[in-house]
Amino acid sequence: MKKPSRRLRYVAAGILVAALAVLLMWDWFVPDTRVQYLTAKVERGDLENAVLATGTLQAFSQVDVGSQASGQLRALKVKLGDKVVKDQWLAEIDPVLSENALRQAHTTVDNLVSQRRATAAQLAQADLALARQRKMIADDATAHQDLESAQAAAGVQRATFSALDAQIRAARIQVETAQANLGYTRIVAPMGGEVVAIVTQEGQTVIAQQQAPVILKLANLDTMTVKAQISEADVIRVHPGQTAWFTILGAPDTRYYGRLRAIEPAPQNFLDTQTSPGGTGSASSKPGTAIFYNALFEVPNPGHLLRISMTAQVSVLISTAHDVLSVPVAALGAKTPDGRYAVRVAGADEQVQTRLVHTGLNNNVRVEIRDGLRAGERVVVGEAPANAADAPAGDNALTGIIGP
């Protein structure tokens, strides 16, 4: 048999190369129309359904330490951050005016007491004169007019004596008031705690005629109160006694737990809206304005890591499910009349089948699966674009481009 010529071999090779080029161009330019799926693993773990809120931290016990006395702040005995105990001396207002007022009050009492002694002597003399007149009138040795004059003089002295008694009591009240005012110049701690703010510095003059000026602020930081702002849509789902926890920006992985103590019945800006007896006239009361209610709970703060006005990311637990199977909410399909949901499951052979499952707790991120699925199976949560790259694999990642 005659061997094929070299020219024929070249022609065949060229045809083969052209066919391969056409196939490559087809694969490159013609899109893949196959349906591709994103999947997620069925996992076992704990689920929480919670109301989310933003809150702020406050000291459970906090007091503004003010002054009832006016004058110059002569001495400040503490510094910012100092820990104090109840009745500790904190500051002193210049006591000169109060001391002078006390001395004046004592002087007034002494003067009135001296007048009382003199009046007592005059009253005794008037009583003796009245007794003589009565004796003499019995012997018809004096006129009735003299007896009447003696009676009037004794009555006047007795009334003066009683008036001086009343004046002395009033003056002694003034002494007690002056003593109290002098005591107000020495400012002591009404409770134990920490100095969290100093409002008035040494040398400043305070005037307490209209309202008590604040010298400093004390707070007990051993227990902190969380004031969480609950929206009006969620406030009907929370009540005292529910478990709540929060994290702070500096330690997002640390949870601080407590129980709701109270939910304030009026919104947080309620006082601002009551600008008139009708409760109108505030911009915050306009329709469409977001309304929030404060939920309060306490947490211990032994190391004083939590501080006043920190921002708290709060979760109020509505319900929990422990050690249950769950899938992303996106895996749920249509709901059947008997309350089950259709879920598409990707098998090992890359075939997708539909199952009906019963669900439980749903926190809008993941949903509890009570039957119909097994741990480790893959459920379809969406469709990927054609020629999409595979998503990174992992226990918590959406994985796979599964074809039909």
Side-chain angles (χ1 to χ4, degrees):
M1 183 177 180
K2 187 178 180 179
K3 294 183 179 181
S5 67
R6 180 177 298 178
R7 183 177 180 180
L8 291 177
R9 289 198 300 269
Y10 287 157
V11 171
I15 294 173
L16 180 60
V17 170
L20 290 174
V22 170
L23 289 175
L24 289 174
M25 291 179 65
W26 179 269
D27 185 65
W28 182 266
F29 289 105
V30 178
D32 186 357
T33 58
R34 294 179 302 167
V35 178
Q36 298 174 330
Y37 300 105
L38 295 175
T39 63
K41 181 186 281 188
V42 180
E43 298 178 346
R44 182 174 293 278
D46 298 337
L47 284 183
E48 293 179 348
N49 185 18
V51 168
L52 304 180
T54 300
T56 55
L57 298 181
Q58 299 178 348
F60 180 67
S61 299
Q62 181 173 322
V63 65
D64 292 344
V65 180
S67 171
Q68 291 181 258
S70 298
Q72 186 183 61
L73 183 60
R74 190 167 75 173
L76 192 61
K77 307 293 184 181
V78 293
K79 302 185 299 296
L80 191 65
D82 284 355
K83 292 181 173 57
V84 301
V85 297
K86 183 177 173 60
D87 295 329
Q88 180 176 332
W89 191 6
L90 302 178
E92 182 182 23
I93 304 294
D94 187 358
V96 172
L97 295 179
S98 297
E99 289 172 348
N100 290 340
L102 179 60
R103 282 195 290 267
Q104 181 64 45
H106 278 300
T107 300
T108 301
V109 171
D110 293 341
N111 182 36
L112 292 172
V113 169
S114 297
Q115 293 181 38
R116 182 178 181 275
R117 291 196 191 99
T119 302
Q122 294 172 357
L123 177 60
Q125 183 180 9
D127 285 340
L128 290 175
L130 178 61
R132 283 195 304 270
Q133 290 295 326
R134 285 173 176 170
K135 185 177 181 181
M136 292 172 66
I137 199 66
D139 296 335
D140 200 19
T142 186
H144 284 282
Q145 183 178 359
D146 293 337
L147 175 62
E148 292 171 352
S149 297
Q151 289 175 335
V156 169
Q157 294 301 326
R158 191 169 287 106
T160 302
F161 187 83
S162 297
L164 287 172
D165 274 344
Q167 292 178 37
I168 289 172
R169 289 194 296 270
R172 285 173 175 164
I173 292 174
Q174 293 300 318
V175 169
E176 294 176 358
T177 300
Q179 286 176 334
N181 289 334
L182 179 59
Y184 294 150
T185 64
R186 182 184 174 99
I187 300 170
V188 298
M191 69 174 196
E194 185 174 325
V195 180
V196 296
I198 293 179
V199 181
T200 306
Q201 302 296 330
E202 281 188 14
Q204 288 185 244
T205 299
V206 296
I207 300 175
Q209 270 71 27
Q210 295 182 347
Q211 61 181 7
V214 177
I215 304 299
L216 52 84
K217 296 176 182 286
L218 285 181
N220 186 343
L221 302 180
D222 292 336
T223 301
M224 301 297 289
T225 295
V226 183
K227 182 178 287 189
Q229 300 174 4
I230 308 294
S231 71
E232 60 178 316
D234 292 325
V235 72
I236 59 175
R237 303 167 57 199
V238 301
H239 55 79
Q242 286 178 315
T243 299
W245 59 268
F246 70 93
T247 61
I248 57 176
L249 298 178
D253 297 328
T254 302
R255 290 186 177 187
Y256 298 88
Y257 282 87
R259 287 191 177 276
L260 291 188
R261 169 169 58 87
I263 293 91
E264 294 181 355
Q268 59 181 3
N269 58 351
F270 180 71
L271 292 179
D272 297 335
T273 63
Q274 307 304 301
T275 57
S276 66
T280 60
S282 174
S284 60
S285 61
K286 292 180 179 179
T289 303
I291 302 298
F292 295 92
Y293 296 81
N294 291 323
L296 309 176
F297 65 98
E298 281 72 44
V299 294
N301 186 28
H304 291 189
L305 295 177
L306 303 177
R307 298 175 181 269
I308 295 173
S309 294
M310 277 187 169
T311 300
Q313 302 299 325
V314 182
S315 296
V316 181
L317 296 182
I318 304 300
S319 56
T320 58
H322 300 285
D323 194 29
V324 296
L325 296 178
S326 67
V327 297
V329 172
L332 297 182
K335 188 176 182 179
T336 62
D338 61 358
R340 292 185 295 176
Y341 286 89
V343 174
R344 292 180 293 174
V345 182
D349 56 357
E350 298 187 353
Q351 295 299 312
V352 175
Q353 57 174 312
T354 300
R355 299 185 195 170
L356 295 179
V357 300
H358 283 104
T359 61
L361 188 150
N362 186 339
N363 62 11
N364 296 323
V365 178
R366 297 188 70 85
V367 59
E368 175 189 356
I369 301 299
R370 294 181 174 175
D371 60 41
L373 295 175
R374 296 187 301 274
E377 289 186 310
R378 294 277 175 182
V379 295
V380 176
V381 296
E383 296 182 358
N387 295 325
D390 288 347
D395 288 342
N396 297 320
L398 298 180
T399 62
I401 302 291
I402 305 297

